[in-house]
Amino acid sequence: MILALAGGVGGAKLANGFAKNLSPDQLLIVVNTGDDFEHFGFPISPDLDTVTYTLAGMSNTTAGWGLAGESWKFMNALERLGGEGWFRLGDQDLATHVMRAAWLSEGQNLSDVTAEITKRLGILHSIVPMSDQQVRTVVETEAGRMSFQMYFVREQCGPVIKNIYYEGATKANPSQAFMSALDREDVDAIVICPSNPLLSIAPILALREVRARLVAHNAPVVAISPIIDGKAVKGPVAKIFKEIGLDASALGVARYYGDLLDGMVIDTKDSGLEASISVVGPQTLVTETLMRSTDDQIQLAREVMEFSQLLSRRDNTKVGSS
Ligand code: FO1
């Protein structure tokens, strides 16, 4: 069984690759909710929606968020009334936010709401929030502190980042499904998808006990670098790494995750980093990691699973391994 930790676009793609390879009972996709925020009174969960729409085959693959074939009548009417237009809510996407708001106000938790939405969109695989309690990624920049979406969308990741906080994480428990998966004996690998380590994966690792439980877990922890040849595949990860003094490379990503990793998957363009990454600790797999198509997603997921099996065998042969 694969436990995949995912955030935005890169995470959604690899999660989709796993879903195409595995039956629903062999996969759990745990999604970052640090990006979540309240907008026009709606509780918005962008990463949950990006992963959900991707697995439903409904996502706008060029934008990397929202739904394909979207219309914007609501936004046009909203702006006519003077509403803020920087965060675009499409007419179909709006239904997701309206239903999430309704179900949460009836007392359902985010896990229940997500299960209902994924089921109604025909998704058989389990997509769950990292926690049902509120965690908010707050970015401290030279232009002051701001919520994730203000930074990411309204400011287009322009301000220089000085620090990032995951408010509420230390008090928030992993969701029930995430907790149960960590207790399962048949976890073959815990996969950190190629999402932004600081914005999409760090909130998950910051939850109570999660990092410690991943380090202690007998399943190998494998990360796929979201940086290829020093550049982000998508989004601000290379810029942010530089701003907070990390090496904007697959090596910088390996160092960031540190002793958490048993395996690191890097792109063929970064094969020159393999030796220095293995000094950090993890075994490395060098392959094509850029996912341009669903076939690429399926292929990469398959290679990550094969790599993880190799790690488990190697781990078991290690003298005195637990
Ligand atoms: N990203 C943007 O760059 N501009 C937008 O207007 C925007 C709207 C939006 C609406 C719903 C949603 O689920 C995601 C949306 N995103 C938008 C992406 C969002 O900023 C996410 O945080 C990304 O997925 C990054 O993880």
Side-chain angles (χ1 to χ4, degrees), residues 8 35 46-47 49-50 65 86-88 93 148-149 152-153:
D35 289 10
D47 282 355
D49 292 347
T50 298
W65 53 269
W86 60 271
F87 194 79
R88 318 286 301 156
D93 184 41
F148 175 89
Q149 295 303 338
F152 191 84
V153 181

Side-chain angles (χ1 to χ4, degrees), residues 34-49:
D35 289 10
D36 293 10
F37 77 133
E38 184 106 350
H39 199 47
F40 301 123
F42 293 119
I44 311 274
S45 293
D47 282 355
L48 278 169
D49 292 347

Side-chain angles (χ1 to χ4, degrees), residues 6-12 31-39 42-51 64-65 86-87 89 97 100 110 129-131 133-139 146-154 157 161 164-167 169 195-204 207 234-236 240:
V9 184
V31 179
N32 166 47
T33 55
D35 289 10
D36 293 10
F37 77 133
E38 184 106 350
H39 199 47
F42 293 119
I44 311 274
S45 293
D47 282 355
L48 278 169
D49 292 347
T50 298
V51 176
W65 53 269
W86 60 271
F87 194 79
L89 295 174
H97 309 304
R100 179 176 285 123
L110 190 54
M130 67 183 195
S131 173
Q133 292 157 278
Q134 179 167 309
V135 176
R136 288 291 174 269
T137 300
V138 173
V139 174
M146 56 185 82
S147 73
F148 175 89
Q149 295 303 338
M150 290 290 181
Y151 166 76
F152 191 84
V153 181
R154 202 185 62 182
C157 307
I161 285 189
I164 306 176
Y165 304 95
Y166 312 106
E167 290 186 348
S195 306
N196 186 314
L198 290 159
L199 297 180
S200 301
I201 302 297
I204 302 176
L207 293 172
K234 185 170 174 65
I240 297 176

Side-chain angles (χ1 to χ4, degrees), residues 90-301:
D91 297 332
Q92 300 173 78
D93 184 41
L94 188 57
T96 304
H97 309 304
V98 168
M99 290 314 293
R100 179 176 285 123
W103 285 326
L104 287 174
S105 64
E106 285 165 15
Q108 291 192 42
N109 65 22
L110 190 54
S111 291
D112 298 338
V113 170
T114 306
E116 190 64 30
I117 291 171
T118 51
K119 187 180 73 182
R120 290 187 181 257
L121 294 183
I123 296 168
L124 301 176
H125 291 82
S126 296
I127 299 170
V128 297
M130 67 183 195
S131 173
D132 287 317
Q133 292 157 278
Q134 179 167 309
V135 176
R136 288 291 174 269
T137 300
V138 173
V139 174
E140 184 175 353
T141 76
E142 289 178 348
R145 281 168 78 101
M146 56 185 82
S147 73
F148 175 89
Q149 295 303 338
M150 290 290 181
Y151 166 76
F152 191 84
V153 181
R154 202 185 62 182
E155 304 305 325
Q156 299 292 308
C157 307
V160 172
I161 285 189
K162 290 159 65 181
N163 217 324
I164 306 176
Y165 304 95
Y166 312 106
E167 290 186 348
T170 49
K171 291 191 293 295
N173 293 309
S175 57
Q176 191 50 52
F178 186 13
M179 231 122 50
S180 319
L182 286 171
D183 290 335
R184 277 177 66 160
E185 287 303 311
D186 64 338
V187 179
D188 296 303
I190 297 162
V191 179
I192 299 179
C193 292
S195 306
N196 186 314
L198 290 159
L199 297 180
S200 301
I201 302 297
I204 302 176
L205 302 180
L207 293 172
R208 279 161 50 89
E209 296 176 22
V210 165
R211 188 188 177 99
R213 292 185 66 176
L214 295 182
V215 170
H217 209 286
N218 59 7
V221 178
V222 178
I224 295 85
S225 174
I227 296 179
I228 298 179
D229 195 17
K231 292 183 287 300
V233 174
K234 185 170 174 65
V237 58
K239 174 178 185 281
I240 297 176
F241 262 52
K242 285 179 197 132
E243 288 170 354
I244 62 167
L246 295 174
D247 187 16
S249 69
L251 174 58
V253 172
R255 284 190 182 131
Y256 175 75
Y257 285 129
D259 64 354
L260 180 57
L261 296 187
D262 300 294
M264 179 90 199
V265 182
I266 64 175
D267 193 80
T268 43
K269 289 196 177 66
D270 292 308
S271 54
L273 294 175
E274 197 176 3
S276 34
I277 287 174
S278 47
V279 168
V280 175
Q283 308 284 330
T284 49
L285 169 68
V286 182
T287 185
E288 297 297 321
T289 60
L290 191 58
M291 295 174 277
R292 291 190 182 84
S293 65
T294 305
D295 285 349
D296 289 348
Q297 296 167 9
I298 293 168
Q299 179 61 22
L300 182 57

